[in-house]
Amino acid sequence: MSNFAIASRRVLVKAAFVGLGVLTLGGLTACGSSAPADDNVITVAASPAPHAEILTDFAAPALKEQGIELKVKEYTDYIQPNKDTTAGAVDANYFQHITYLDNYNKENDTDLVSAGAIHYEPLAVYAGKSSDLEAIADGATIAIPNDPTNEGRALLLLQDLGLITLKDPTDLEATPKDIKDNPHNIKFQELEAAALPRTLESVDFAVMNGNYAIEAGFHVKDALAHEDSESLAVEKYANIICVAKGSEDDEAVKALVEVLTSEDCKDYLEKTYGEDVLPAF
């Protein structure tokens, strides 16, 4: 078995994705506080797929049985959901992994917290103009996400595949400048995560976030390689329910997390998404 094949086997990693911000698919009205004003109603900001789908199709009916109304607001970027959660315009958000949240808090001097880890979405390598990672051409171009946490994550995946070596092999925030060895002289296109599916015709390969891959019709089963479940996927890239500090014990928030970490939810994820969205609980 080749080193590449061994690495690929190690690397079937399942991960996660990250979030949204400036544009919304509907206006938001501020609630006036960072905690739910009514324990029977909870408003959650979410990316369209799979987060909003999970909330609308699975969580909302389950919460309705408990007398709780779940309102879902869809966003299409990485920033605004956290801003609106801090401001109290929504009670929670569901779009990001914990590593992204930690970075966001650091950069914005906020104290948003995780109320619970729900799922992770494997970061995966998809074929563009080329389809053979093992026979990658010298000078090949690979598109990767450019946000601080997912860029490092993409490079860690490529390192696990034996394509590059980082100066610090465990650096979650690595960029192409942190590559120590690049034997194939790979060129990197650093792009917004949402734009990656549209680049496949112009690059050899692309490393795509799970949520944007799903929206574009790509699936882990079709990927050339993906993160391994025994990597940092669950620990560092599990998608979470995020709330303002102090709101994690609100009854509606706890009910939402309980529903999303149930055995019924695990069954729903498996039947609906297969390998694309995996439970982190």
Side-chain angles (χ1 to χ4, degrees), residues 36-66:
D38 182 349
D39 280 341
N40 294 321
V41 179
I42 182 170
T43 302
V44 182
S47 56
H51 308 79
E53 294 174 351
I54 294 169
L55 292 174
T56 301
D57 297 341
F58 177 80
L63 288 173
K64 187 176 181 180
E65 293 180 1
Q66 301 180 38

PDB file of all heavy atoms in Angstrom, residues 36-66:
ATOM      1  N   PRO A  36     -33.618  34.626  25.789  1.00  0.00           N
ATOM      2  CA  PRO A  36     -34.962  34.533  25.280  1.00  0.00           C
ATOM      3  C   PRO A  36     -35.947  35.259  26.176  1.00  0.00           C
ATOM      4  O   PRO A  36     -35.941  35.096  27.396  1.00  0.00           O
ATOM      5  CB  PRO A  36     -35.234  33.019  25.277  1.00  0.00           C
ATOM      6  CG  PRO A  36     -33.880  32.402  25.169  1.00  0.00           C
ATOM      7  CD  PRO A  36     -32.978  33.311  25.941  1.00  0.00           C
ATOM      8  N   ALA A  37     -36.818  36.101  25.577  1.00  0.00           N
ATOM      9  CA  ALA A  37     -37.801  36.838  26.367  1.00  0.00           C
ATOM     10  C   ALA A  37     -38.925  35.925  26.799  1.00  0.00           C
ATOM     11  O   ALA A  37     -39.635  36.200  27.743  1.00  0.00           O
ATOM     12  CB  ALA A  37     -38.349  37.995  25.541  1.00  0.00           C
ATOM     13  N   ASP A  38     -39.115  34.822  26.098  1.00  0.00           N
ATOM     14  CA  ASP A  38     -40.198  33.886  26.362  1.00  0.00           C
ATOM     15  C   ASP A  38     -39.635  32.488  26.239  1.00  0.00           C
ATOM     16  O   ASP A  38     -39.130  32.096  25.192  1.00  0.00           O
ATOM     17  CB  ASP A  38     -41.318  34.125  25.343  1.00  0.00           C
ATOM     18  CG  ASP A  38     -42.517  33.223  25.578  1.00  0.00           C
ATOM     19  OD1 ASP A  38     -42.397  32.276  26.383  1.00  0.00           O
ATOM     20  OD2 ASP A  38     -43.568  33.475  24.957  1.00  0.00           O
ATOM     21  N   ASP A  39     -39.714  31.705  27.321  1.00  0.00           N
ATOM     22  CA  ASP A  39     -39.168  30.354  27.297  1.00  0.00           C
ATOM     23  C   ASP A  39     -39.912  29.451  26.331  1.00  0.00           C
ATOM     24  O   ASP A  39     -39.475  28.341  26.047  1.00  0.00           O
ATOM     25  CB  ASP A  39     -39.185  29.736  28.694  1.00  0.00           C
ATOM     26  CG  ASP A  39     -38.022  30.219  29.550  1.00  0.00           C
ATOM     27  OD1 ASP A  39     -37.035  30.720  28.977  1.00  0.00           O
ATOM     28  OD2 ASP A  39     -38.101  30.097  30.788  1.00  0.00           O
ATOM     29  N   ASN A  40     -41.059  29.920  25.821  1.00  0.00           N
ATOM     30  CA  ASN A  40     -41.829  29.118  24.874  1.00  0.00           C
ATOM     31  C   ASN A  40     -41.521  29.467  23.419  1.00  0.00           C
ATOM     32  O   ASN A  40     -42.111  28.892  22.511  1.00  0.00           O
ATOM     33  CB  ASN A  40     -43.325  29.286  25.136  1.00  0.00           C
ATOM     34  CG  ASN A  40     -43.737  28.705  26.487  1.00  0.00           C
ATOM     35  OD1 ASN A  40     -43.233  27.658  26.890  1.00  0.00           O
ATOM     36  ND2 ASN A  40     -44.617  29.388  27.185  1.00  0.00           N
ATOM     37  N   VAL A  41     -40.623  30.427  23.203  1.00  0.00           N
ATOM     38  CA  VAL A  41     -40.233  30.826  21.857  1.00  0.00           C
ATOM     39  C   VAL A  41     -38.716  30.999  21.821  1.00  0.00           C
ATOM     40  O   VAL A  41     -38.138  31.613  22.707  1.00  0.00           O
ATOM     41  CB  VAL A  41     -40.903  32.152  21.426  1.00  0.00           C
ATOM     42  CG1 VAL A  41     -40.443  32.533  20.019  1.00  0.00           C
ATOM     43  CG2 VAL A  41     -42.415  32.035  21.482  1.00  0.00           C
ATOM     44  N   ILE A  42     -38.087  30.451  20.801  1.00  0.00           N
ATOM     45  CA  ILE A  42     -36.644  30.645  20.635  1.00  0.00           C
ATOM     46  C   ILE A  42     -36.352  30.918  19.165  1.00  0.00           C
ATOM     47  O   ILE A  42     -36.856  30.228  18.281  1.00  0.00           O
ATOM     48  CB  ILE A  42     -35.840  29.425  21.135  1.00  0.00           C
ATOM     49  CG1 ILE A  42     -34.330  29.683  20.994  1.00  0.00           C
ATOM     50  CG2 ILE A  42     -36.258  28.140  20.436  1.00  0.00           C
ATOM     51  CD1 ILE A  42     -33.458  28.630  21.686  1.00  0.00           C
ATOM     52  N   THR A  43     -35.575  31.962  18.909  1.00  0.00           N
ATOM     53  CA  THR A  43     -35.204  32.350  17.546  1.00  0.00           C
ATOM     54  C   THR A  43     -33.727  32.032  17.331  1.00  0.00           C
ATOM     55  O   THR A  43     -32.878  32.467  18.105  1.00  0.00           O
ATOM     56  CB  THR A  43     -35.454  33.851  17.313  1.00  0.00           C
ATOM     57  OG1 THR A  43     -36.831  34.138  17.552  1.00  0.00           O
ATOM     58  CG2 THR A  43     -35.103  34.239  15.878  1.00  0.00           C
ATOM     59  N   VAL A  44     -33.446  31.283  16.272  1.00  0.00           N
ATOM     60  CA  VAL A  44     -32.079  30.815  16.021  1.00  0.00           C
ATOM     61  C   VAL A  44     -31.624  31.244  14.629  1.00  0.00           C
ATOM     62  O   VAL A  44     -32.319  31.016  13.637  1.00  0.00           O
ATOM     63  CB  VAL A  44     -31.982  29.280  16.151  1.00  0.00           C
ATOM     64  CG1 VAL A  44     -30.535  28.820  15.928  1.00  0.00           C
ATOM     65  CG2 VAL A  44     -32.484  28.824  17.517  1.00  0.00           C
ATOM     66  N   ALA A  45     -30.457  31.864  14.560  1.00  0.00           N
ATOM     67  CA  ALA A  45     -29.832  32.216  13.287  1.00  0.00           C
ATOM     68  C   ALA A  45     -29.097  30.987  12.764  1.00  0.00           C
ATOM     69  O   ALA A  45     -28.426  30.289  13.526  1.00  0.00           O
ATOM     70  CB  ALA A  45     -28.854  33.367  13.481  1.00  0.00           C
ATOM     71  N   ALA A  46     -29.211  30.725  11.457  1.00  0.00           N
ATOM     72  CA  ALA A  46     -28.583  29.524  10.915  1.00  0.00           C
ATOM     73  C   ALA A  46     -28.232  29.694   9.452  1.00  0.00           C
ATOM     74  O   ALA A  46     -28.881  30.446   8.725  1.00  0.00           O
ATOM     75  CB  ALA A  46     -29.520  28.319  11.076  1.00  0.00           C
ATOM     76  N   SER A  47     -27.191  28.972   9.016  1.00  0.00           N
ATOM     77  CA  SER A  47     -26.889  28.903   7.590  1.00  0.00           C
ATOM     78  C   SER A  47     -27.922  27.978   6.937  1.00  0.00           C
ATOM     79  O   SER A  47     -28.481  27.092   7.585  1.00  0.00           O
ATOM     80  CB  SER A  47     -25.476  28.365   7.374  1.00  0.00           C
ATOM     81  OG  SER A  47     -25.329  27.110   8.004  1.00  0.00           O
ATOM     82  N   PRO A  48     -28.183  28.184   5.640  1.00  0.00           N
ATOM     83  CA  PRO A  48     -29.259  27.432   4.987  1.00  0.00           C
ATOM     84  C   PRO A  48     -29.121  25.912   5.065  1.00  0.00           C
ATOM     85  O   PRO A  48     -30.074  25.214   5.404  1.00  0.00           O
ATOM     86  CB  PRO A  48     -29.191  27.932   3.539  1.00  0.00           C
ATOM     87  CG  PRO A  48     -28.635  29.311   3.646  1.00  0.00           C
ATOM     88  CD  PRO A  48     -27.616  29.221   4.752  1.00  0.00           C
ATOM     89  N   ALA A  49     -27.927  25.401   4.720  1.00  0.00           N
ATOM     90  CA  ALA A  49     -27.735  23.948   4.714  1.00  0.00           C
ATOM     91  C   ALA A  49     -26.410  23.591   5.376  1.00  0.00           C
ATOM     92  O   ALA A  49     -25.397  24.220   5.084  1.00  0.00           O
ATOM     93  CB  ALA A  49     -27.747  23.411   3.284  1.00  0.00           C
ATOM     94  N   PRO A  50     -26.420  22.625   6.293  1.00  0.00           N
ATOM     95  CA  PRO A  50     -27.581  21.841   6.705  1.00  0.00           C
ATOM     96  C   PRO A  50     -28.297  22.402   7.926  1.00  0.00           C
ATOM     97  O   PRO A  50     -29.318  21.867   8.351  1.00  0.00           O
ATOM     98  CB  PRO A  50     -26.962  20.497   7.051  1.00  0.00           C
ATOM     99  CG  PRO A  50     -25.633  20.886   7.671  1.00  0.00           C
ATOM    100  CD  PRO A  50     -25.163  22.086   6.877  1.00  0.00           C
ATOM    101  N   HIS A  51     -27.756  23.470   8.503  1.00  0.00           N
ATOM    102  CA  HIS A  51     -28.207  23.945   9.807  1.00  0.00           C
ATOM    103  C   HIS A  51     -29.689  24.322   9.851  1.00  0.00           C
ATOM    104  O   HIS A  51     -30.444  23.830  10.699  1.00  0.00           O
ATOM    105  CB  HIS A  51     -27.330  25.107  10.265  1.00  0.00           C
ATOM    106  CG  HIS A  51     -25.867  24.805  10.222  1.00  0.00           C
ATOM    107  ND1 HIS A  51     -25.147  24.843   9.048  1.00  0.00           N
ATOM    108  CD2 HIS A  51     -24.998  24.433  11.190  1.00  0.00           C
ATOM    109  CE1 HIS A  51     -23.892  24.505   9.302  1.00  0.00           C
ATOM    110  NE2 HIS A  51     -23.773  24.254  10.582  1.00  0.00           N
ATOM    111  N   ALA A  52     -30.104  25.214   8.952  1.00  0.00           N
ATOM    112  CA  ALA A  52     -31.507  25.627   8.936  1.00  0.00           C
ATOM    113  C   ALA A  52     -32.413  24.451   8.604  1.00  0.00           C
ATOM    114  O   ALA A  52     -33.533  24.341   9.122  1.00  0.00           O
ATOM    115  CB  ALA A  52     -31.716  26.767   7.944  1.00  0.00           C
ATOM    116  N   GLU A  53     -31.930  23.566   7.746  1.00  0.00           N
ATOM    117  CA  GLU A  53     -32.718  22.378   7.403  1.00  0.00           C
ATOM    118  C   GLU A  53     -32.938  21.506   8.634  1.00  0.00           C
ATOM    119  O   GLU A  53     -34.053  21.027   8.879  1.00  0.00           O
ATOM    120  CB  GLU A  53     -31.998  21.572   6.330  1.00  0.00           C
ATOM    121  CG  GLU A  53     -31.877  22.274   4.984  1.00  0.00           C
ATOM    122  CD  GLU A  53     -31.028  21.496   3.999  1.00  0.00           C
ATOM    123  OE1 GLU A  53     -30.385  20.500   4.411  1.00  0.00           O
ATOM    124  OE2 GLU A  53     -30.994  21.893   2.826  1.00  0.00           O
ATOM    125  N   ILE A  54     -31.892  21.301   9.389  1.00  0.00           N
ATOM    126  CA  ILE A  54     -31.991  20.471  10.595  1.00  0.00           C
ATOM    127  C   ILE A  54     -32.954  21.096  11.591  1.00  0.00           C
ATOM    128  O   ILE A  54     -33.788  20.412  12.202  1.00  0.00           O
ATOM    129  CB  ILE A  54     -30.603  20.273  11.228  1.00  0.00           C
ATOM    130  CG1 ILE A  54     -29.699  19.451  10.304  1.00  0.00           C
ATOM    131  CG2 ILE A  54     -30.714  19.598  12.599  1.00  0.00           C
ATOM    132  CD1 ILE A  54     -28.236  19.432  10.712  1.00  0.00           C
ATOM    133  N   LEU A  55     -32.842  22.408  11.762  1.00  0.00           N
ATOM    134  CA  LEU A  55     -33.715  23.099  12.714  1.00  0.00           C
ATOM    135  C   LEU A  55     -35.174  23.035  12.268  1.00  0.00           C
ATOM    136  O   LEU A  55     -36.072  22.733  13.066  1.00  0.00           O
ATOM    137  CB  LEU A  55     -33.280  24.558  12.851  1.00  0.00           C
ATOM    138  CG  LEU A  55     -31.925  24.799  13.516  1.00  0.00           C
ATOM    139  CD1 LEU A  55     -31.572  26.283  13.456  1.00  0.00           C
ATOM    140  CD2 LEU A  55     -31.921  24.317  14.965  1.00  0.00           C
ATOM    141  N   THR A  56     -35.417  23.327  10.994  1.00  0.00           N
ATOM    142  CA  THR A  56     -36.783  23.393  10.488  1.00  0.00           C
ATOM    143  C   THR A  56     -37.433  22.015  10.372  1.00  0.00           C
ATOM    144  O   THR A  56     -38.587  21.819  10.774  1.00  0.00           O
ATOM    145  CB  THR A  56     -36.805  24.093   9.114  1.00  0.00           C
ATOM    146  OG1 THR A  56     -36.261  25.407   9.255  1.00  0.00           O
ATOM    147  CG2 THR A  56     -38.218  24.195   8.578  1.00  0.00           C
ATOM    148  N   ASP A  57     -36.692  21.067   9.809  1.00  0.00           N
ATOM    149  CA  ASP A  57     -37.272  19.758   9.528  1.00  0.00           C
ATOM    150  C   ASP A  57     -37.313  18.833  10.737  1.00  0.00           C
ATOM    151  O   ASP A  57     -38.223  18.000  10.857  1.00  0.00           O
ATOM    152  CB  ASP A  57     -36.497  19.064   8.406  1.00  0.00           C
ATOM    153  CG  ASP A  57     -36.565  19.825   7.095  1.00  0.00           C
ATOM    154  OD1 ASP A  57     -37.473  20.661   6.941  1.00  0.00           O
ATOM    155  OD2 ASP A  57     -35.700  19.583   6.225  1.00  0.00           O
ATOM    156  N   PHE A  58     -36.312  18.961  11.620  1.00  0.00           N
ATOM    157  CA  PHE A  58     -36.263  18.042  12.760  1.00  0.00           C
ATOM    158  C   PHE A  58     -36.556  18.715  14.099  1.00  0.00           C
ATOM    159  O   PHE A  58     -37.445  18.280  14.831  1.00  0.00           O
ATOM    160  CB  PHE A  58     -34.905  17.345  12.837  1.00  0.00           C
ATOM    161  CG  PHE A  58     -34.788  16.452  14.045  1.00  0.00           C
ATOM    162  CD1 PHE A  58     -35.351  15.185  14.026  1.00  0.00           C
ATOM    163  CD2 PHE A  58     -34.160  16.885  15.201  1.00  0.00           C
ATOM    164  CE1 PHE A  58     -35.294  14.360  15.152  1.00  0.00           C
ATOM    165  CE2 PHE A  58     -34.087  16.071  16.328  1.00  0.00           C
ATOM    166  CZ  PHE A  58     -34.654  14.804  16.301  1.00  0.00           C
ATOM    167  N   ALA A  59     -35.803  19.777  14.415  1.00  0.00           N
ATOM    168  CA  ALA A  59     -35.915  20.359  15.759  1.00  0.00           C
ATOM    169  C   ALA A  59     -37.258  21.036  16.001  1.00  0.00           C
ATOM    170  O   ALA A  59     -37.835  20.904  17.084  1.00  0.00           O
ATOM    171  CB  ALA A  59     -34.773  21.347  15.990  1.00  0.00           C
ATOM    172  N   ALA A  60     -37.748  21.781  15.024  1.00  0.00           N
ATOM    173  CA  ALA A  60     -38.998  22.529  15.232  1.00  0.00           C
ATOM    174  C   ALA A  60     -40.173  21.615  15.590  1.00  0.00           C
ATOM    175  O   ALA A  60     -40.892  21.886  16.562  1.00  0.00           O
ATOM    176  CB  ALA A  60     -39.314  23.376  14.000  1.00  0.00           C
ATOM    177  N   PRO A  61     -40.405  20.532  14.844  1.00  0.00           N
ATOM    178  CA  PRO A  61     -41.503  19.633  15.222  1.00  0.00           C
ATOM    179  C   PRO A  61     -41.309  19.001  16.596  1.00  0.00           C
ATOM    180  O   PRO A  61     -42.282  18.835  17.351  1.00  0.00           O
ATOM    181  CB  PRO A  61     -41.483  18.573  14.116  1.00  0.00           C
ATOM    182  CG  PRO A  61     -40.839  19.235  12.956  1.00  0.00           C
ATOM    183  CD  PRO A  61     -39.797  20.133  13.558  1.00  0.00           C
ATOM    184  N   ALA A  62     -40.059  18.649  16.921  1.00  0.00           N
ATOM    185  CA  ALA A  62     -39.787  18.033  18.219  1.00  0.00           C
ATOM    186  C   ALA A  62     -40.040  19.019  19.356  1.00  0.00           C
ATOM    187  O   ALA A  62     -40.598  18.657  20.395  1.00  0.00           O
ATOM    188  CB  ALA A  62     -38.341  17.529  18.264  1.00  0.00           C
ATOM    189  N   LEU A  63     -39.635  20.275  19.176  1.00  0.00           N
ATOM    190  CA  LEU A  63     -39.861  21.287  20.204  1.00  0.00           C
ATOM    191  C   LEU A  63     -41.335  21.653  20.321  1.00  0.00           C
ATOM    192  O   LEU A  63     -41.831  21.968  21.411  1.00  0.00           O
ATOM    193  CB  LEU A  63     -39.035  22.542  19.911  1.00  0.00           C
ATOM    194  CG  LEU A  63     -37.534  22.408  20.124  1.00  0.00           C
ATOM    195  CD1 LEU A  63     -36.808  23.662  19.637  1.00  0.00           C
ATOM    196  CD2 LEU A  63     -37.206  22.154  21.594  1.00  0.00           C
ATOM    197  N   LYS A  64     -42.050  21.623  19.212  1.00  0.00           N
ATOM    198  CA  LYS A  64     -43.483  21.943  19.230  1.00  0.00           C
ATOM    199  C   LYS A  64     -44.230  20.997  20.146  1.00  0.00           C
ATOM    200  O   LYS A  64     -45.188  21.387  20.834  1.00  0.00           O
ATOM    201  CB  LYS A  64     -44.047  21.872  17.812  1.00  0.00           C
ATOM    202  CG  LYS A  64     -45.494  22.347  17.700  1.00  0.00           C
ATOM    203  CD  LYS A  64     -45.962  22.336  16.256  1.00  0.00           C
ATOM    204  CE  LYS A  64     -47.402  22.848  16.152  1.00  0.00           C
ATOM    205  NZ  LYS A  64     -47.866  22.847  14.740  1.00  0.00           N
ATOM    206  N   GLU A  65     -43.779  19.743  20.188  1.00  0.00           N
ATOM    207  CA  GLU A  65     -44.402  18.768  21.075  1.00  0.00           C
ATOM    208  C   GLU A  65     -44.216  19.138  22.540  1.00  0.00           C
ATOM    209  O   GLU A  65     -44.985  18.699  23.399  1.00  0.00           O
ATOM    210  CB  GLU A  65     -43.815  17.376  20.816  1.00  0.00           C
ATOM    211  CG  GLU A  65     -44.164  16.805  19.447  1.00  0.00           C
ATOM    212  CD  GLU A  65     -43.559  15.436  19.221  1.00  0.00           C
ATOM    213  OE1 GLU A  65     -42.882  14.925  20.151  1.00  0.00           O
ATOM    214  OE2 GLU A  65     -43.771  14.867  18.133  1.00  0.00           O
ATOM    215  N   GLN A  66     -43.198  19.966  22.813  1.00  0.00           N
ATOM    216  CA  GLN A  66     -42.944  20.431  24.184  1.00  0.00           C
ATOM    217  C   GLN A  66     -43.561  21.800  24.443  1.00  0.00           C
ATOM    218  O   GLN A  66     -43.338  22.402  25.484  1.00  0.00           O
ATOM    219  CB  GLN A  66     -41.438  20.502  24.438  1.00  0.00           C
ATOM    220  CG  GLN A  66     -40.705  19.182  24.264  1.00  0.00           C
ATOM    221  CD  GLN A  66     -39.213  19.310  24.524  1.00  0.00           C
ATOM    222  OE1 GLN A  66     -38.784  20.046  25.428  1.00  0.00           O
ATOM    223  NE2 GLN A  66     -38.402  18.598  23.752  1.00  0.00           N
TER     224      GLN A  66
END
